[in-house]
Amino acid sequence: MIDRLVAFALDQRFITLALALVLTAAGIVSYHRLPIEAYPDVGDVKVEVITLWPGHAAEEVERLITVPLENELNGIADVTFLRSDTLFGLSNIKVLFADGTDNYWARQQAQERITQADLPADAKPALGPLSSVIGEIFRYTLESKTVPLVELKAIQNWILEREFRKIPGVADVVSWGGGTKQYQVNVDPSRLRGYNLTLKQVFDAVAANNSNAGGSYVPQGQYALTVRGIGLFRGSRDIENVVVASQKGTPVRVRDIGQVGIGHAIRLGVLGRDHDDDLVQGIVLMRKGENPGRVIDALKTKLPEIGKLLPPDVELRPYYSRDILVKRTVTTVLRNLIEGAGLVIVLLSLFLYNVRAALIVALTIPLSLLFAFVFMDLRGVPSNLLSLGAIDFGIIVDGAVIMAENILRRLSERKVTGPQIVREVHGAAVEVARPLTFAVLIIMTVYVPILTFQRIEGKLFRPMALTISLAVIGSLLLTLTVIPVLSSLVFRRPPSERESPLLRWLRRPYQAALAWCLRRPLVPVLCAGGCLVVAVFVFALLGKEFLPELDEGDLWVRAQFPTGISVEGVRPYTREIRERLLKFPEVRVIVSQLGAPDDGTDPEGPDNVEFYVGLKAREEWANPDKDKLIEAMRAALADMPGFTTNFSQPIKDNVDEALAGVKGELAIKLYGPDIFVMDAAAREIVKVLRDVPGVTDLDWDHLAGLPQLQIIVDRAAAARYGINVQDIQDVIEAATKGRVVTQLYEGERRFDVAVRLVQDGDPITGLRNLTISAPSGERIPVTQLAEFVKTDGVSEILREGNVRRLAVKWSVRDRDMGSLVTEAMQKVGATVRLPDGYRMVWSGRFEDQQRALARLYIIVPLVLFIIFALLFGAFQSVGDTLLIMLNLPFALIGGTLALYFWRTNFNISAAVGYIAVFGVSVLNGVVLLSSIRRARQEGLSPRDAIARGCDSGRLWCPRSWR
């Protein structure tokens, strides 16, 4: 079949070249269609179930919302992990599915299950946006010197979110800060008592006076006159005029017992930027699987149109756009590709010593890449820094070099002209076609382990393996078709057989060294063995890590404050941190995120503050060392007590949290029923880890110790006065957060109307002074109906696999991850003992590394066996096959020493590089052994055959494959 393919290409040269042009055009189109990302989407297929239940403690939310939802979600097929985060008024459950699960099928299954859960009537679970861990593509703040914050937030919620969602590829917009606008009926308790009214009467009156009636129609001549009853609130005045009761014929209106104003609902978070403490932010999320370049281009095209919709004094100020990172990545990749291709062309010209042949061979590089782009586009394989940057031009042009050199040799030896050129080119191409095909099989086989990777390592390296495999297949097809066709057209006159002066210069010392080694074979064997021993020893000294970090250009700083601190208590610290970091000349912008957004998509408490630190271009830095900048920033914050910091990067932080459920590189997860017991164990672990060199940003989940004021109802006392528990709870709710009773429409916008009890002075004293209306008309102090108890509760409840979880987390600095984890395991295992019913799991990047290495330990031996079988099928000799396989361990010497001298840790990327070296070393061994076998067939002695095979200027030998 290979012979027929070569013959067809040479018989139909016009068609072959036309197909090459079609490939070029299709490849260019596919390249522009390909999603190009700086960092691959390593997140799992995920469905997020978000339930807002404002005003309720984490324990109540867990019991009444999180646990019932988890029970329903457990039975979905292909679920791999179930994680939940429960806070004050919020439940966030993440359902992770196996790779390959359809996103929309997963969402449909989750939606069906959550409708079956038995939840409180005012808790409505909803699915989070269909985005990914790298979905944040655009961030901006909304600012104004005259417009109130609640109005800015309303503009964000009702104008900007809708406009951004219209952009193709945008999944959602997350709104931060500002406070959600709310119409508030502030009831004066003394006036309420004066009119002898109850809160329930106010609730019912406000809710009952806000509705429209849908009537039928009234015939009027030949027309139908539609009847509508209009009674919806149109503003604060309508609410003030609501009649609560009538006493002796005199109506008691809302304005008689309180005031109506505009405020905001409970704020879950506050956003600041540079010197401004309170702003509104929008984060645009890209839909999972979309092309970020295309989405960002559409977004920036839409921005001027969106700007026209804003009021005159409102400004939309972007501060982060993913296209900057994507463009920098694409520029880096293209520069590497161009420099690599240029270097290959120069080397080909020097060694082939024929510019025309070198250009023909070099043509396979862009055409092979375009071939790969076409099939990547058809299969939906994304391209990124890893998949494009790891392409080996040497592997791509190997076959083309062999083909071009064989054609040159035949034409220069035979001196043919005219029609005989095509026949000689055909003969030369067929002569090497079989070994070239075998070489492609070898190279593709060594990439099989990469295709078996799972989770993050699979999503990182599978696109790279597919890209290289497709490029190698394309190179083979081009070598068998286009190279012979172009050679038959370019070399119309027989080329002169000239040896490259560079090869001639290199051959003299090589021949002398080869002759010396053949006379003393024990010396090179011992030297190679010694080098291998040294390499094994050096490899044991290498540090171990999971993956090298991608420099995103910016920083993500997390500050963890004591449990129980309020939003108001954290705000002065947040401003001070921003001001200190802004003093660094490398910083261009700082945005602080205190707490969580109002939609619950990023569940955090007020004790958590995250800072986006946008950095200037590295060329503008006085010292381009990013690690030193981080240390300087850490030192600048060191004298601020009461909180811990963690330095990371925006995408990396999201990836770490999404994969391990922990915001840190490494973590120890504790599982058990009691958070206070796990908190005590975590403190012991932290004491141990503080003494381990390389541990930095050490912290743990501060879940326990949240101060609580529990108002415990005395049911017997309430029963004596005929008061229901719900009556007491209504008063407590109105006195703290307010009871939402209805909604008010402003055109298309919709805002809650809440009834609140106004409390002057100390809030706790005000709660103790509350009174409850009994059926008899008496006003019973709440202190006679309930007990006030101050205690410690939990601020947040983390669950994983239906079990409560607490994590100790840290980062690694100035040390490799492998040795750090080994030492930490020994010390923690010797010191910390967990009670029965509790367990400890080492997680984070270490868990990912162990999973990837465990798979390699199984797959690599299998691949070596497959290579052995292929080689035995080609040579029909166990000895020759083992001789070639013996080349594999020696091929790793150079890479291991390079890692050591460059002070680089061994990681999964290096392991992938070793795998690629396997293919090249096997191919070189096959070529060399083929040359030696050919010399032996010509009757030479073993030593002369080895000298001939090694000394040959052409290291392939097609006749030995026949």
Side-chain angles (χ1 to χ4, degrees):
M1 187 178 74
I2 297 176
D3 294 353
R4 289 198 297 270
L5 177 62
V6 176
F8 174 82
L10 289 170
D11 292 341
Q12 305 292 337
R13 288 183 287 180
F14 175 79
I15 294 177
T16 302
L17 295 178
L19 290 175
L21 292 176
V22 171
L23 172 63
T24 302
I28 294 173
V29 172
S30 297
Y31 173 76
H32 289 288
R33 284 167 46 91
L34 275 178
I36 300 179
E37 253 297 5
Y39 198 89
D41 183 1
V42 298
D44 298 292
V45 177
K46 179 186 70 175
V47 178
E48 203 168 2
V49 181
I50 301 171
T51 309
L52 296 173
W53 200 28
H56 294 272
E59 294 93 334
E60 298 302 317
V61 178
E62 180 197 33
R63 179 183 296 114
L64 299 178
I65 293 179
T66 302
V67 172
L69 285 174
E70 284 185 351
N71 290 337
E72 294 296 335
L73 294 169
N74 274 326
I76 301 178
D78 297 328
V79 171
T80 56
F81 293 95
L82 193 65
R83 300 189 183 120
S84 66
D85 195 348
T86 306
L87 297 93
F88 175 76
L90 170 65
S91 169
N92 185 297
I93 302 175
K94 294 179 175 65
V95 188
L96 277 59
F97 291 82
D99 290 344
T101 305
D102 181 75
N103 286 285
Y104 293 97
W105 179 88
R107 293 173 69 84
Q108 178 187 1
Q109 294 296 311
Q111 184 66 58
E112 291 176 359
R113 292 303 184 100
I114 63 177
T115 59
Q116 302 173 20
D118 184 14
L119 304 178
D122 55 343
K124 305 294 182 184
L127 300 186
L130 180 56
S131 185
S132 67
V133 295
I134 59 170
E136 297 179 0
I137 60 171
F138 190 73
R139 288 171 171 255
Y140 61 89
T141 53
L142 206 58
E143 305 176 20
S144 176
K145 296 181 180 179
T146 59
V147 179
L149 272 175
V150 291
E151 295 296 338
L152 283 178
K153 185 63 174 293
I155 292 172
Q156 165 66 23
N157 289 341
W158 295 99
I159 296 179
L160 297 184
E161 282 192 16
R162 180 169 54 189
E163 294 300 319
F164 280 117
R165 285 172 179 167
K166 292 180 183 178
I167 299 173
V170 171
D172 199 5
V173 179
V174 176
S175 300
W176 260 92
T180 302
K181 183 177 178 180
Q182 187 181 71
Y183 284 83
Q184 296 177 344
V185 180
N186 298 309
V187 179
D188 187 338
S190 61
R191 292 188 189 181
L192 198 65
R193 286 194 298 268
Y195 285 105
N196 198 29
L197 299 176
T198 65
L199 266 179
K200 188 175 187 306
Q201 288 176 284
V202 181
F203 296 158
D204 295 342
V206 175
N209 281 271
N210 183 37
S211 65
N212 280 358
S216 182
Y217 65 89
V218 177
Q220 191 172 31
Q222 296 182 349
Y223 294 91
L225 189 64
T226 303
V227 179
R228 295 177 61 202
I230 305 298
L232 288 175
F233 291 147
R234 290 171 293 181
S236 300
R237 186 176 297 275
D238 289 345
I239 302 174
E240 291 174 346
N241 290 326
V242 168
V243 176
V244 179
S246 179
Q247 297 182 352
K248 298 180 181 180
T250 301
V252 180
R253 296 179 173 88
V254 167
R255 66 170 180 261
D256 298 324
I257 59 173
Q259 297 178 341
V260 178
I262 296 177
H264 57 76
I266 296 176
R267 295 189 64 175
L268 299 179
V270 178
L271 184 118
R273 174 173 177 171
D274 295 339
H275 304 292
D276 295 317
D277 292 330
D278 208 349
L279 298 173
V280 175
Q281 172 188 244
I283 305 174
V284 181
L285 302 180
M286 180 184 69
R287 186 176 297 112
K288 189 177 179 68
E290 294 285 343
N291 187 331
R294 192 175 305 163
V295 176
I296 295 175
D297 289 343
L299 185 149
K300 292 198 169 182
T301 303
K302 182 82 172 177
L303 273 181
E305 179 184 337
I306 294 176
K308 296 177 182 178
L309 301 175
L310 299 176
D313 196 30
V314 176
E315 182 184 4
L316 188 154
R317 294 181 58 202
Y319 68 88
Y320 172 81
S321 181
R322 178 67 60 78
D323 63 335
I324 297 175
L325 181 59
V326 172
K327 288 177 182 177
R328 185 164 66 241
T329 301
V330 171
T331 301
T332 301
V333 170
L334 290 179
R335 183 177 68 248
N336 291 341
L337 292 178
I338 292 172
E339 290 175 354
L343 180 62
V344 168
I345 292 174
V346 171
L347 292 177
L348 288 174
S349 300
L350 290 175
F351 283 96
L352 291 177
Y353 207 53
N354 188 301
V355 177
R356 289 178 295 173
L359 292 177
I360 291 174
V361 170
L363 192 63
T364 59
I365 295 176
L367 289 179
S368 298
L369 293 179
L370 294 175
F371 178 88
F373 292 153
V374 170
F375 284 90
M376 290 169 67
D377 184 29
L378 293 175
R379 293 292 305 274
V381 179
S383 57
N384 52 65
L385 178 62
L386 286 174
S387 62
L388 295 180
I391 293 177
D392 189 341
F393 290 141
I395 294 177
I396 291 177
V397 302
D398 264 349
V401 169
I402 293 173
M403 177 67 75
E405 189 180 12
N406 199 35
I407 291 174
L408 278 177
R409 179 184 62 82
R410 288 283 291 263
L411 294 179
S412 61
E413 289 177 356
R414 305 295 173 87
K415 306 295 183 183
V416 294
T417 58
Q420 295 181 351
I421 292 178
V422 176
R423 186 170 63 249
E424 290 299 329
V425 168
H426 176 265
V430 170
E431 201 172 26
V432 297
R434 185 166 176 260
L436 291 182
T437 305
F438 181 83
V440 170
L441 287 176
I442 291 290
I443 292 172
M444 292 184 65
T445 300
V446 299
Y447 282 103
V448 169
I450 302 175
L451 297 177
T452 65
F453 280 167
Q454 297 174 319
R455 299 201 69 198
I456 177 174
E457 62 273 15
K459 295 180 178 70
L460 283 171
F461 294 110
R462 272 200 302 264
M464 181 207 72
L466 288 171
T467 301
I468 295 178
S469 298
L470 289 171
V472 170
I473 293 173
S475 174
L476 175 63
L477 293 175
L478 293 167
T479 300
L480 297 178
T481 56
V482 176
I483 297 297
V485 169
L486 291 177
S487 299
S488 67
L489 296 174
V490 171
F491 299 111
R492 293 185 176 275
R493 288 182 297 177
S496 57
E497 188 172 8
R498 299 175 298 171
E499 185 180 29
S500 166
L502 179 61
L503 276 177
R504 193 183 312 121
W505 179 75
L506 292 174
R507 175 175 281 117
R508 283 194 293 268
Y510 173 70
Q511 286 176 333
L514 177 63
W516 189 89
C517 289
L518 289 176
R519 289 194 301 270
R520 304 169 182 85
L522 189 61
V523 175
V525 171
L526 292 177
C527 289
C531 290
L532 182 60
V533 172
V534 171
V536 171
F537 176 74
V538 169
F539 184 83
L541 298 178
L542 289 177
K544 309 297 187 299
E545 63 183 9
F546 180 52
L547 288 171
E549 285 191 12
L550 168 69
D551 185 2
E552 301 174 31
D554 299 321
L555 293 176
W556 190 263
V557 184
R558 183 185 306 276
Q560 188 71 43
F561 289 84
T563 302
I565 195 168
S566 65
V567 171
E568 294 74 18
V570 178
R571 291 181 68 172
Y573 292 92
T574 303
R575 178 180 178 83
E576 180 63 23
I577 292 173
R578 288 202 315 270
E579 294 293 339
R580 293 194 180 195
L581 295 183
L582 275 171
K583 294 179 181 178
F584 288 88
E586 296 87 354
V587 175
R588 61 176 178 83
V589 64
I590 293 183
V591 176
S592 60
Q593 297 178 174
L594 191 167
D598 292 338
D599 61 1
T601 51
D602 187 9
E604 294 291 350
D607 57 347
N608 181 83
V609 186
E610 300 172 359
F611 298 84
Y612 168 82
V613 183
L615 302 177
K616 298 176 182 177
R618 197 65 61 92
E619 295 78 17
E620 302 180 37
W621 295 17
N623 185 350
D625 191 334
K626 192 174 181 180
D627 290 333
K628 290 185 177 179
L629 175 64
I630 292 175
E631 292 303 321
M633 288 182 171
R634 188 178 280 111
L637 303 177
D639 63 338
M640 294 181 65
F643 65 91
T644 58
T645 57
N646 177 276
F647 284 78
S648 184
Q649 301 182 98
I651 295 178
K652 180 179 180 295
D653 185 78
N654 288 339
V655 169
D656 288 341
E657 182 183 12
L659 294 176
V662 177
K663 295 188 175 183
E665 287 184 31
L666 295 172
I668 299 175
K669 293 181 180 179
L670 304 175
Y671 296 90
D674 193 324
I675 290 178
F676 289 90
V677 173
M678 291 189 289
D679 184 77
R683 294 173 186 270
E684 291 184 37
I685 294 173
V686 167
K687 289 181 181 178
V688 175
L689 292 179
R690 280 201 181 104
D691 298 329
V692 177
V695 173
T696 185
D697 300 334
L698 178 63
D699 203 357
W700 76 96
D701 293 330
H702 298 268
L703 309 182
L706 175 70
Q708 286 186 355
L709 175 62
Q710 296 182 357
I711 304 175
I712 305 172
V713 176
D714 185 342
R715 294 181 178 273
R720 284 196 298 269
Y721 293 103
I723 296 175
N724 295 321
V725 173
Q726 188 60 49
D727 296 332
I728 302 174
Q729 306 292 28
D730 287 344
V731 174
I732 295 173
E733 181 180 5
T736 51
K737 75 180 184 67
R739 165 72 69 86
V740 175
V741 294
T742 186
Q743 293 177 323
L744 185 148
Y745 288 84
E746 294 180 359
E748 295 182 351
R749 306 181 191 182
R750 183 178 69 252
F751 304 102
D752 289 338
V753 178
V755 177
R756 304 173 68 247
L757 274 177
V758 177
Q759 299 290 327
D760 296 328
D762 179 57
I764 297 180
T765 302
L767 287 174
R768 290 180 178 274
N769 292 334
L770 291 175
T771 59
I772 312 298
S773 298
S776 62
E778 292 181 88
R779 296 282 177 170
I780 311 301
V782 72
T783 51
Q784 296 183 19
L785 304 172
E787 181 185 3
F788 285 67
V789 178
K790 286 186 178 181
T791 185
D792 286 338
V794 295
S795 61
E796 186 176 2
I797 301 175
L798 301 172
R799 296 171 61 88
E800 192 168 297
N802 301 284
V803 181
R804 287 181 171 182
R805 186 264 292 168
L806 187 147
V808 179
K809 48 201 174 183
W810 69 94
S811 300
V812 181
R813 291 283 186 279
D814 302 326
R815 187 176 179 182
D816 68 285
M817 183 182 70
S819 64
L820 185 149
V821 172
T822 300
E823 181 180 350
M825 277 184 165
Q826 293 174 351
K827 292 185 175 180
V828 171
T831 307
V832 180
R833 293 290 182 269
L834 296 179
D836 293 339
Y838 295 81
R839 59 191 176 93
M840 178 191 307
V841 175
W842 292 76
S843 185
R845 294 296 177 93
F846 171 77
E847 184 181 22
D848 297 327
Q849 180 201 48
Q850 294 302 302
R851 182 182 59 252
L853 291 178
R855 183 157 291 265
L856 285 177
Y857 292 151
I858 298 173
I859 299 298
V860 169
L862 179 62
V863 170
L864 294 178
F865 175 76
I866 295 174
I867 293 175
F868 178 88
L870 291 173
L871 292 174
F872 182 77
F875 289 97
Q876 297 296 315
S877 170
V878 174
D880 290 347
T881 302
L882 292 177
L883 186 61
I884 295 175
M885 297 288 289
L886 189 63
N887 195 30
L888 295 181
F890 293 101
L892 305 181
I893 295 175
T896 302
L897 295 179
L899 289 175
Y900 179 78
F901 288 115
W902 262 264
R903 297 183 178 180
T904 302
N905 295 327
F906 177 78
N907 49 52
I908 302 301
S909 296
V912 170
Y914 281 161
I915 290 172
V917 171
F918 280 174
V920 176
S921 61
V922 169
L923 181 59
N924 291 339
V926 166
V927 170
L928 180 60
L929 187 59
S930 300
S931 299
I932 295 173
R933 290 187 64 172
R934 180 188 177 188
R936 287 285 291 154
Q937 291 172 0
E938 294 176 357
L940 296 180
S941 65
R943 177 174 295 184
D944 292 338
I946 293 173
R948 169 79 69 84
C950 295
D951 184 51
S952 175
R954 304 172 181 88
L955 290 181
W956 47 267
C957 192
R959 288 195 185 98
S960 65
W961 292 81
R962 292 182 179 178

